[in-house]
């Protein structure tokens, strides 16, 4: 079903069929005998979103990297940013949106766990600003500062947790070296010397690949994000990107949980395998 599992497609089919959206309703009093089925009406936009090409194109090859559990409590996810090229950026905005890629681009900030599930996504930043400036404008930092993020941690009972003999009251994110020295941000040692520093930095760099892998999978699955964006209106681009991330999370939940109706739980696969070390979320 164009990278959507059959069980997830069936759920979408049932929910959309029960909705009152006019496009998906069977039209009455038409002179023609046949109409497009609900399945066809749903498959067409999914295929277009998946490949970013005309509906007649059909290429369906995709390989996902294996999962890796990092075996450390308190790790909420990996934080980073990714650019998408905006080919049809209005000329008046081109200067503001031209940055690292050399062409106008739009930036996505995201926090992703080891299953590649997007816990946080903030999109629409101009391509000429760096990760630090994006963080300063991010709703993620705002929730950290006003205490609402810590409130959610307490409500979810993911804190406190222990690493060795030391107790911590805040979950943390793995980031690259450009991010500030916040208590929640765990970065690698720039020039590791001792064996402990080398081992820690190797672990940190391995854990941080989660977000890079998620960006790659997201763009490979929904190729609209991996090709120069032709849409002119930023609001339409943002709505499409939001749609892709929601669909990506649905597929991730299906893969981890095995049931499209089940709520996503990051440690579910570990529970099924009987692993003694479960990351707390």
């Amino acid at each position: 079903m164009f990278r959507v599992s059959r069980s997830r497609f069936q759920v979408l089919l049932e929910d959309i069929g029960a909705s009152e959206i006019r496009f998906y309703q069977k039209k009455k009093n038409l002179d023609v005998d046949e109409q497009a089925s609900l399945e066809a009406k749903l498959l067409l936009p999914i295929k277009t979103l998946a490949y970013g090409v005309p509906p007649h194109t059909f290429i369906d090859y995709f390989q996902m990297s294996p999962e890796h559990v990092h075996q450390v409590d308190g790790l909420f996810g990996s934080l980073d940013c990714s650019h998408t090229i905006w080919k049809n950026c209005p000329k008046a905005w081109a200067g503001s949106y031209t940055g690292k890629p050399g062409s106008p681009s739009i930036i996505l900030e995201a926090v992703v766990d080891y299953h590649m599930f997007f816990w946080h996504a903030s999109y629409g930043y101009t391509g000429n600003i760096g990760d630090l400036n994006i963080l300063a404008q991010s709703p993620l930092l705002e929730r950290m500062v006003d205490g609402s993020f810590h409130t959610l941690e307490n409500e979810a009972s993911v804190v406190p947790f222990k690493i060795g003999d030391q107790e911590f009251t805040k979950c943390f994110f793995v980031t690259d070296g450009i991010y500030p020295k916040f208590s929640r941000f765990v970065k690698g040692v720039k020039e590791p010397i001792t064996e402990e520093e080398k081992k820690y930095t190797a672990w940190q760099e391995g854990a941080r690949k989660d977000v890079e892998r998620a960006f790659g999978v997201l763009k490979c699955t929904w190729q609209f994000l991996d090709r120069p964006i032709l849409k002119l209106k930023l609001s339409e681009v943002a709505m499409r990107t939001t749609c892709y991330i929601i669909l990506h999370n649905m597929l991730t939940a299906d893969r981890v949980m095995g049931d499209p109706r089940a709520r996503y739980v990051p440690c579910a696969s570990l529970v099924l395998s009987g692993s003694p070390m479960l990351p707390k979320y």
Side-chain angles (χ1 to χ4, degrees), residues 124-157:
Y125 301 101
T126 58
N128 68 339
I129 63 176
D131 293 1
L132 283 179
N133 291 325
I134 292 174
L135 179 65
Q137 304 173 41
S138 172
L140 177 66
L141 180 62
E142 182 180 350
R143 303 198 74 174
M144 291 182 188
V145 173
D146 66 17
S148 59
F149 191 89
H150 189 54
T151 300
L152 292 174
E153 288 176 311
N154 289 323
E155 291 176 353
S157 301

Side-chain angles (χ1 to χ4, degrees), residues 30-35:
L30 294 180
D31 295 333
V32 295
D33 294 330
E34 297 183 359
Q35 303 178 36

